[in-house]
Amino acid sequence: MRGLLTFLAAVLAATPVLAQALAEPAQDAIAAVRSFTDAFDRADEAGMTSVIIESAQVVLVRPREDGDTVRSLPLAQLAANIASSPADLKEPIAIKNVMVDGPVAMVWADFSLFVDGTRSHCGVDIFTLVQQDGAWKIATITYSHITEPCEEAPAL
């Protein structure tokens, strides 16, 4: 019994170290997403493209009564569109889930899009990331486009 208690004490003592080791890649993936969204809010095209892979894509899924609309475009093009927009665009996010498996990660976040200070829509951003040259880079962003209800979505 004493041996079992010693073993359990050792496992419990090591758990925070193990959790911390597992959390670091997740925190690094989150940092890449935050870097992108901060650049988005500044309309900083170079800042956005610095954390994406060359072939990155953005996919929009918009529910419609007659069937969902799905559109995609290169993420670099979206970055250019945001940077050249005359409107003040802000997209606060609330990260809900992060999963990491070796060199791939997924960050799930609720968002709201504000255009000139007024909420346009809300939804979910799903960022998939890959490690490239030792850094997390965004490979895709898939997002939903919901107009109602947005009461629980992030605010400015």
Side-chain angles (χ1 to χ4, degrees), residues 116-127:
D116 295 326
T118 301
R119 183 181 281 133
S120 165
H121 60 277
C122 63
V124 172
D125 281 332
I126 303 167
F127 298 86

Side-chain angles (χ1 to χ4, degrees), residues 101-143:
D101 185 28
V104 297
M106 181 277 307
V107 176
W108 180 292
D110 292 342
F111 79 91
S112 291
L113 179 70
F114 290 85
V115 178
D116 295 326
T118 301
R119 183 181 281 133
S120 165
H121 60 277
C122 63
V124 172
D125 281 332
I126 303 167
F127 298 86
T128 58
L129 299 96
V130 296
Q131 281 194 323
Q132 191 175 60
D133 299 324
W136 286 107
K137 300 285 185 167
I138 297 169
T140 64
I141 301 173
T142 302
Y143 72 97

